Amino acid sequence: MARMAKVVELPSISKLNKQQGKVTAQLIQILREAVQQGDLKAGDPLPSSRELALSLSVSRGTIIEAYDQLLAEGVLEAHPRKGTFVAQSLINTPHQQHQKDIVTNTFKSNLTAAAQAYAEILKEFKPLPHLPFAISVPTGRTQPNDVWRKFGNRYRAQGEGLPSGYDDPQGVWSLRVAIAAYVRRSRSVHCQPEQIVITNGIQQALYICSQILFEPKDQVWLEDPAYRGTSAILENAIQNIQIIRVPVDEEGLQVNTAINLAPHARAAFVTPSHQYPMGMPMSLSRRHALLAWASQQQAWIIEDDYDSELRYHGQPFPALQGLAPERVIYLGTFSKVLFPSLRLGYAILPQALVAPFCGLRVLIDRHPASADQHVLAKFIEQGYLERHIRKIRQVYAENRQHLMTIIARHIPEHLGYLESGDQGMHMVLWLAEHINDLAIAQAAVDMKIAVKAISPTFSAQRKRSGLILGLGDFNLKQMESAVIILADLIQQANVKSASI
């Protein structure tokens, strides 16, 4: 295959003023400043002397003289038969770092409070490396099989997924039809394809719901603890809304407590089939109480059903939506059962909300990318999704059992114990109160272990210390090695705490 020539752009050359004379000196200064300011970086190629002379309408000797001076200063370096480049030795020079720090600090001082808050959120949501015990890492047996690749080749490159114009903001029709049939069979959800909007994951759906459902001073119920993606949206993306944190116990959201705290709340955000992060399902009596409240108050229930297909004993719990389709907004995703980089989820809405939901969606990203929607539609239609779920359910069940055994072997119960639960892609390792889970999580990442602290999912008043461990398809040796390191970090934290 023929190599493509690299096109070298030097916008700073436009400063050159030939009428002022001393063209060589000007050119030297311009190139030197471009390197110092980071416009040209270490290793960047420069145009050949002939090319640059031609573009500037100056003699080639002028360019060669300027290059020679910068070569002598160590700003540039020449490679025979390759060309002239910015010197590699200039990577992160003190001057460049100083300039970078000045620019960074200047911009920080000019940021609004909202911008600074979003910058902190970015740090919090930085993805963990693909190591034990990261969540939703499709490795080994949990990866989609060759059918996904074949479908991609067939439908993305040659079939319905061919490049086209703008598409429907609601999503590809065939995928909505496939999802409607799938959730009816697997989740007891009652809907028509016209009620489904394809999203870029549950996070986008949560954001859009937060923008179209509420007005200033509205109250909303939020589980305590809760998915940090939801609480971050409610805290930062809506002005003057009141968040009512409602404790969760072994039956799920404490509905009576919520009614006592805020009987006229506008909505409730819940994870009834598999509470995040603690793992229990909402009991039938609590479900009926929640639905009765929503019906009486004409309130919305936003049901985040992120991984309920993965139950290891018995059948998955039915969705709340099937009991009250007119009051429940049902959110699903393929990030957990397939892979997160697919970036496809869906919202099932009461019909009256479809237009406002899609209207805001148009302003955000016009419509979801279409090609993979066609692939996924065929994958679901032909039964491969449900086969894949059956396969990964077995994998995660095995890993769950292995993890329970390994942790019992290496971590003393008074320092850490696993929350009981029989579904999902993660488990919670509760830590002793005096152990800082944030510090353990950071230390673990430094030791090539990927865990998340649970304390940020709680309100400040109810914080508990613990770690969220994903059940990826990591082998037994990897899992045991990681648990041994975690056990050592926990023991060190315990000793340190006792000495304070």
Side-chain angles (χ1 to χ4, degrees):
M1 181 183 294
R3 293 175 56 191
M4 292 183 63
K6 182 174 177 66
V7 178
V8 182
E9 301 287 349
L10 292 175
S12 52
I13 292 292
S14 62
K15 299 176 185 176
L16 186 69
N17 187 340
K18 288 184 285 187
Q19 294 180 347
Q20 290 182 0
K22 299 183 179 179
V23 173
T24 301
Q26 284 189 63
L27 185 58
I28 291 170
Q29 185 62 26
I30 288 169
L31 292 174
R32 190 186 291 127
E33 288 178 355
V35 172
Q36 291 172 344
Q37 294 170 6
D39 297 335
L40 287 172
K41 299 186 182 299
D44 280 356
L46 272 75
S48 70
S49 57
R50 181 175 284 103
E51 290 171 337
L52 190 54
L54 185 63
S55 67
L56 296 177
S57 298
V58 298
S59 71
R60 186 183 176 198
T62 298
I63 307 301
I64 292 173
E65 186 178 353
Y67 279 8
D68 284 346
Q69 177 61 33
L70 293 172
L71 286 165
E73 294 178 11
V75 176
L76 303 181
E77 57 189 22
H79 298 280
R81 293 187 297 278
K82 290 185 178 179
T84 304
F85 300 81
V86 178
Q88 288 286 354
S89 60
L90 296 179
I91 294 176
N92 292 328
T93 62
H95 178 81
Q96 285 178 321
Q97 189 59 48
H98 177 65
Q99 291 292 109
K100 182 179 179 181
D101 291 343
I102 290 174
V103 171
T104 301
N105 292 333
T106 300
F107 273 109
K108 279 185 178 178
S109 65
N110 291 331
L111 291 178
T112 64
Q116 293 180 46
Y118 286 127
E120 291 303 312
I121 288 172
L122 179 62
K123 294 178 186 177
E124 189 175 350
F125 282 82
K126 182 178 179 182
L128 291 172
H130 290 190
L131 298 165
F133 296 95
I135 300 173
S136 302
V137 176
T139 59
R141 295 173 295 168
T142 61
Q143 288 180 318
N145 58 27
D146 287 344
V147 172
W148 180 265
R149 177 180 54 79
K150 292 174 182 176
F151 276 23
N153 293 338
R154 184 181 308 163
Y155 299 111
R156 189 190 299 114
Q158 302 173 15
E160 294 95 328
L162 279 169
S164 62
Y166 291 114
D167 219 326
D168 189 337
Q170 200 168 338
V172 167
W173 174 254
S174 61
L175 179 55
R176 289 188 277 140
V177 171
I179 289 172
Y182 166 69
V183 295
R184 175 181 52 78
R185 292 191 305 271
S186 66
R187 305 295 303 119
S188 299
V189 168
H190 300 160
C191 71
Q192 299 299 321
E194 291 83 358
Q195 295 174 251
I196 298 176
V197 181
I198 306 303
T199 64
N200 293 326
I202 281 181
Q203 193 69 38
Q204 184 185 59
L206 287 167
Y207 177 80
I208 294 176
C209 286
S210 75
Q211 299 301 304
I212 67 172
L213 296 180
F214 310 125
E215 295 180 344
K217 299 183 180 179
D218 276 348
Q219 296 176 317
V220 296
W221 296 354
L222 180 64
E223 295 170 323
D224 191 5
Y227 171 50
R228 185 69 185 109
T230 305
S231 58
I233 285 174
L234 296 177
E235 291 165 1
N236 295 278
I238 313 174
Q239 298 297 318
N240 302 317
I241 195 168
Q242 187 178 354
I243 305 167
I244 309 298
R245 297 302 297 264
V246 182
V248 169
D249 61 21
E250 65 278 359
E251 292 189 63
L253 184 85
Q254 296 178 7
V255 179
N256 287 339
T257 301
I259 292 173
N260 290 333
L261 290 170
H264 305 298
R266 182 67 174 153
F269 287 82
V270 292
T271 50
S273 293
H274 184 222
Q275 202 280 332
Y276 186 89
M278 293 176 65
M280 77 289 290
M282 186 182 291
S283 69
L284 187 59
S285 61
R286 294 276 178 88
R287 290 176 181 233
H288 285 311
L290 179 62
L291 292 170
W293 164 81
S295 177
Q296 181 180 3
Q297 294 296 325
Q298 295 294 288
W300 300 110
I301 297 172
I302 296 90
E303 178 178 14
D304 181 350
D305 202 30
Y306 63 100
D307 72 351
S308 56
E309 296 98 335
L310 301 175
R311 188 162 185 243
Y312 308 122
H313 300 291
Q315 293 297 310
F317 296 101
L320 198 61
Q321 191 270 2
L323 298 175
E326 72 285 354
R327 296 257 54 96
V328 178
I329 297 166
Y330 178 90
L331 308 181
T333 181
F334 297 101
S335 293
K336 301 295 187 291
V337 296
L338 284 174
F339 48 96
S341 61
L342 182 61
R343 304 311 308 139
L344 285 178
Y346 52 96
I348 298 177
L349 306 160
Q351 192 61 51
L353 292 179
V354 172
F357 192 101
C358 289
L360 179 52
R361 194 287 155 65
V362 165
L363 297 182
I364 295 172
D365 62 359
R366 195 68 175 253
H367 64 79
S370 301
D372 279 334
Q373 291 186 65
H374 291 287
V375 178
L376 181 55
K378 298 297 183 183
F379 196 74
I380 298 172
E381 286 170 13
Q382 298 185 27
Y384 288 102
L385 177 64
E386 285 162 288
R387 293 182 212 173
H388 178 69
I389 290 171
R390 286 195 295 270
K391 180 180 73 172
I392 65 172
R393 188 183 291 144
Q394 181 62 37
V395 173
Y396 290 130
E398 291 174 6
N399 285 355
R400 171 179 169 273
Q401 189 60 51
H402 292 324
L403 186 59
M404 292 167 64
T405 302
I406 294 168
I407 285 180
R409 184 186 306 148
H410 294 289
I411 300 178
E413 192 169 346
H414 70 283
L415 294 182
Y417 66 92
L418 285 171
E419 176 78 32
S420 60
D422 64 354
Q423 68 183 82
M425 299 180 70
H426 73 273
M427 299 188 78
V428 175
L429 176 67
W430 294 114
L431 301 177
E433 288 183 10
H434 59 277
I435 295 176
N436 185 329
D437 59 348
L438 290 167
I440 294 290
Q442 182 55 59
V445 171
D446 295 339
M447 299 294 289
K448 308 300 182 187
I449 301 170
V451 295
K452 283 191 174 183
I454 200 171
S455 58
T457 68
F458 283 89
S459 64
Q461 297 77 17
R462 299 187 69 245
K463 276 194 175 179
R464 292 182 63 182
S465 181
L467 301 173
I468 301 173
L469 311 179
L471 301 175
D473 190 26
F474 306 109
N475 63 49
L476 272 173
K477 184 177 180 180
Q478 286 178 300
M479 293 172 70
E480 184 143 26
S481 296
V483 169
I484 290 171
I485 294 171
L486 269 183
D488 185 51
L489 292 174
I490 292 168
Q491 290 279 14
Q492 291 178 35
N494 181 54
V495 171
K496 183 177 179 181
S497 177
S499 65
I500 294 176

